[in-house]
Each structure stands twice: as structure tokens, then as C-alpha cells.
Amino acid sequence: MAGRPVPWLGSLFLVSLWGASAPASILRRLGEHIQRFQESSSLGLSLGPGAVAIPREGWLEQPLDPFNASDRRSFLQVVTHSLGQKCLSFSRAEAVAQLRVTEPQVSGLGDRQWLYQTCTEFGYYVTCEDRGCPFSQLPALPSHLELCEQVFGLSSSSIAQAVAQTNSYYGGQTPGATQVLFVNGDTDPWHVLSVTQALGPSESAILIPSASHCSDMAPERPSDSPSLRLARQNIFQQLQTWLRLAKESQVKGEV
């Protein structure tokens, strides 16, 4: 499969981070995510046409200005290189205009669809409003809700009603499922919306310390933490158990 630009660094991502003073640890995590996508041949993802490779390990060990465009380690350089672009707009109005486009497009692939799903089903709005927040406090809840109004004409009350309906239909954090394993990293902001403790033998949960969004789904790397390695082993063992039970049940049904 031919490489293509990383899809999740689009309009919504940029709207959330503009104005942020991102510390080196967060920039390093961003670089690690992009590196994982680069290394995953099954996903067939690359940094995009003409983009340079992410610098090797140690690229953020020295002091830096995250927004110094002349520094290849800077946050802006990481984002622009990942998108295969020379510059990015700081305009929220332009981002909104891009999200309103309904014709097929290469850049921002999936942003409009994901926004619509959050506006009509999920919510899932990550905010950073307390004083210890390392990012800008601009992407507060009203800002997210305003996007739904500006792009789709959906009111805040309709969003709240849609989220309540979704939680009622699926059961929220007590879904009453069978043979489901909920896996989360505790540095993923969305883990608080998931099931992080086992609800029963058929509803298991794994919360991985210091792991971010979908870390367990990425290819194994030498730098993976012991907790991430252990989580993958536990996932494998749980799947083996359920598959064995399913096979035994099938054999009994055939007798």
C-alpha cells in the first residue's frame, strides 16, 4: 500500500493546539506517535510527500523553543513535516471553512466526519481548563460546541440530548456486554470515558500506566515500557481464553 500523509493531524487537531505552549515531553510523545505510524508497514502510512524524517532519539534532549520555526525539533516543524506542508494557518475561521467542505479532499481526511459524529452521538470533547493544564485553555467545552453550530448548525442542547441517547442505548460505562476487553492508557484523555475496571468475567478491563491513545495497537518497539509489554501479553491471553471457550462450546454443540 502506498504511503499517505498521517490523517489525524488535521483541522480539529490544529484548532485544539493553537496557542499552546507545549512542553518537550508532549512534543516527544507527538514525535513518537508519528514514528510509530512511519514504522507500521501494515498501515502503509508515511509523513507525506517531500516530508523529512523525524530526528533520531535524543532530538528533544536539548533546550528548545517549541515554536522556533528554524529549529527542526520544534512543534511546528513536526506538524508541518507530517502534513507535507511548508506552513499552516492559525485562523480558526479557515479551519471552520475547511470543515464545511463536503467534496472529497486529501487534507483533513476524516475531520468533518469525526466532528459530525461527536456532534450527533459521542461528545468526547477533550478540554484543558484547570490551572495545571500544559496546553492552551482555549479549547474549552463552549469552543467545541460552537464548532458543531458553525459547521453543522447543531445547537448545544441537541448535542447534549444526542450524547444522553447514545449512553442510554449502549449503556454508558456499564454496557452489559459479553466477551469484551476494554483497553486504555492512563495518559489518554479519553480513558475516563471508558471502562477501566472489570465489570465481570465477560467484561474485562486493562488500564496501562503511562500509555497513550491506542499504544497497545502499535507495533512492538524496543522502547516500549514494561507495563505496555505486560498489557499486550494480557490481551493475548484473554483472547486465547475466549477463543478456547468458543471452540469448546462449538464442539459440544456438534456432539
Side-chain angles (χ1 to χ4, degrees):
M1 183 183 298
R4 58 186 175 87
V6 178
W8 46 267
L9 286 171
S11 302
L12 293 179
F13 178 82
L14 300 178
V15 165
S16 298
L17 289 181
W18 286 151
S21 179
S25 60
I26 296 174
L27 301 183
R28 183 181 294 107
R29 185 63 59 85
L30 175 62
E32 289 174 356
H33 279 303
I34 297 175
Q35 190 75 33
R36 286 177 186 275
F37 278 112
Q38 279 187 288
E39 295 173 352
S40 177
S41 57
S42 61
L43 291 176
L45 297 175
S46 71
L47 289 182
V52 299
I54 295 298
R56 296 180 179 179
E57 187 175 353
W59 65 300
L60 282 173
E61 297 306 322
Q62 302 299 321
L64 64 99
D65 176 359
F67 293 93
N68 177 8
S70 64
D71 191 334
R72 286 184 56 191
R73 303 169 299 163
S74 72
F75 168 71
L76 290 181
Q77 287 283 36
V78 171
V79 175
T80 54
H81 290 164
S82 68
L83 292 173
Q85 299 178 6
K86 294 183 178 180
C87 60
L88 296 170
S89 172
F90 277 76
S91 169
R92 179 185 173 97
E94 185 173 330
V96 171
Q98 291 177 0
L99 289 167
R100 286 176 173 170
V101 174
T102 57
E103 291 79 16
Q105 53 185 325
V106 176
S107 63
L109 183 64
D111 282 346
R112 176 180 168 85
Q113 292 84 347
W114 171 247
L115 177 62
Y116 182 77
Q117 197 166 27
T118 67
C119 296
T120 58
E121 292 185 69
F122 297 151
Y124 279 17
Y125 301 121
V126 178
T127 61
C128 202
E129 300 175 50
D130 62 77
R131 294 182 179 180
C133 173
F135 294 108
S136 166
Q137 297 183 7
L138 291 177
L141 182 59
S143 176
H144 288 292
L145 299 178
E146 190 178 70
L147 271 180
C148 296
E149 171 67 32
Q150 292 175 325
V151 178
F152 302 112
L154 298 172
S155 65
S156 298
S157 59
S158 71
I159 299 168
Q161 183 178 357
V163 172
Q165 182 177 355
T166 298
N167 285 331
S168 175
Y169 182 83
Y170 290 105
Q173 291 178 311
T174 54
T178 57
Q179 295 185 335
V180 174
L181 177 60
F182 298 91
V183 182
N184 294 275
D186 67 2
T187 60
D188 180 359
W190 284 334
H191 84 273
V192 295
L193 299 177
S194 183
V195 176
T196 56
Q197 294 184 346
L199 301 177
S202 290
E203 291 180 284
S204 304
I206 296 175
L207 183 61
I208 311 172
S210 303
S212 57
H213 188 62
C214 293
S215 292
D216 58 293
M217 300 174 67
E220 293 184 1
R221 302 177 65 199
S223 58
D224 287 341
S225 67
S227 59
L228 179 55
R229 295 177 185 276
L230 178 61
R232 288 199 182 105
Q233 293 176 9
N234 291 337
I235 293 170
F236 182 72
Q237 291 172 0
Q238 181 66 81
L239 290 174
Q240 279 188 315
T241 299
W242 282 338
L243 290 172
R244 176 177 54 78
L245 292 175
K247 185 175 182 179
E248 292 175 354
S249 177
Q250 185 179 23
V251 170
K252 289 180 181 179
E254 294 176 351
V255 175

